[in-house]
Amino acid sequence: MKLNISRALGTVLLLSCAASAAAGGLKVIDPWVRSAPPNAPALGVFMTLENHSAADRAVVAARSSMTVDRVELHRTMMAGGVMKMMPQNAIPVASRSATVLKPGSWHIMLIGPDKVPAMGDKVRLTLVLDDGTEQSFEAIVRHGEMNMKTQDHQMKHE
Amino acid sequence: MSIKLSGNKLALPLLLLGLACLTAACERGPRAPQIESAFMLPEAATIADFNLSHLERGSYDIEDARGQWSLLFFGYTHCPDVCPTELFMLAEMMRGIENGAGAGPEPPQVVFVSVDPERDSLQHLQQYAGFYHPSFIGVTGEQSTIDRLCESIGVFYERVYYRNGKQVIPDASGTVPAGLEDSYLINHSASIFLLNPTGKLHAIFTAPHDPNTMIRDLAAIQAGWRS
């Protein structure tokens, strides 16, 4: 019985190791593209990036299945009531932590899209990590939700 | 009766408390509106006379701003993050007001002022602003007119150029760095400016913004202005 349990545990551990290795460097959670006017010159892409590994990671570039002029990594910061948008060389995701890409903070910009996708469309994205690996996934086009979350938060206090 | 039961020790404090409450209620009179997210100007301020353009109306000037409440937001359509966030928030606010069926504030005219007339044509600007809400108007004009309006309202903006993730500072003559003529970003104020129906600057909503708080504050501000 004792032996069986340890064998079972061993199998679980082995399986979980295999799973995290297969998942690559980062876990991409809830990726989305912000719905924008049909003539929008830039589109924002947001997601949560989790790093379950022992090493720090960074996203150093991104590509999209859409035809765009270029893809940039950006960060918005508020300084003295002024919003500053700054292109970044990398989006860091420290070991055993998460970086949230969201409106008003870190994000990926698709600049000069050939055609702005509609609500519900899916856009294929590829992230290039600092260790040279790449991760591809689909992001869905939807409305921004940052404000809605704030609303919910406030409503609870009423 | 309950006072008697609790003993005489409680009677005096309770009486005092009751009196204090009564006094406070009398002093306050009609309930003053509670403004949560706006900075109210002590006195509505006259702003610089301006003459901007709109696709269908032709011009948009101070006369157009009169006769209704207006919310002015300054930005540009190439804006990667802040303008889409704010315009979506303002659209949520408008939908909230419309769904309130007259119980809330009078719907304001939302005006998206582009500080980037070089890249934002009137048609492009209106299509962009109107996407968020059909009532939104996008206006722009001569850079000097925009500058004068910004200065008089207290809006800050600056063009910034980046190459390979590093900011490139234009030389003293202000010459745009080669190859970056069309790819600048603009740092700008994220505040929303409220003009009252006389066309004067009445209040400033500083970021971050929340649609429901904006609706409540607009209702309170409008009620205070009418009384």
Side-chain angles (χ1 to χ4, degrees), chain B residues 81-147:
Chain B
D81 187 19
V82 180
C83 297
T85 304
E86 294 294 345
L87 288 169
F88 181 69
M89 187 288 303
L90 284 164
E92 289 280 278
M93 178 203 76
M94 288 303 288
R95 285 188 280 270
I97 293 173
E98 286 160 0
N99 294 339
E106 197 182 297
Q109 173 65 60
V110 172
V111 185
F112 181 49
V113 184
S114 170
V115 297
D116 191 16
E118 231 175 272
R119 291 187 295 189
D120 287 340
S121 70
L122 292 181
Q123 183 159 9
H124 177 76
L125 184 58
Q126 185 53 43
Q127 192 184 0
Y128 187 87
F131 168 84
Y132 289 94
H133 193 275
S135 72
F136 289 4
I137 60 169
V139 302
T140 192
E142 295 284 331
Q143 202 82 52
S144 57
T145 310
I146 295 165
D147 289 352

Side-chain angles (χ1 to χ4, degrees), chain A residues 34 36-39 41 70 76 78 81-87 89 103-104 107 109 143-144 146-147 151 154 158, chain B residues 77-78 80-82 85 88-89 124 127-128 131-132 156 162 164 183 185-188 190 207 210 212-213 216:
Chain A
R34 175 162 47 200
N39 63 340
R70 58 186 190 281
T76 305
M78 169 84 108
V82 175
M83 290 299 216
K84 298 193 170 191
M85 285 139 289
M86 287 166 287
N89 287 323
H107 55 276
M109 293 308 309
H143 284 310
M146 181 177 79
N147 296 309
Q151 251 171 285
Q154 293 218 342
E158 278 174 1
Chain B
T77 70
H78 282 70
D81 187 19
V82 180
T85 304
F88 181 69
M89 187 288 303
H124 177 76
Q127 192 184 0
Y128 187 87
F131 168 84
Y132 289 94
F156 169 85
Y162 288 90
N164 301 324
S183 60
L185 292 171
I186 301 177
N187 293 333
H188 60 93
D210 167 72
N212 286 340
T213 315
R216 284 196 298 273

Side-chain angles (χ1 to χ4, degrees), chain B residues 41 43-47 199-202:
Chain B
L41 273 73
E43 198 177 326
T46 304
I47 61 172
K200 287 184 175 178
L201 179 60
H202 199 91

Side-chain angles (χ1 to χ4, degrees), chain A residues 8-21:
Chain A
L9 263 177
T11 312
V12 168
L13 278 174
L14 205 70
L15 277 173
S16 62
C17 285
S20 68

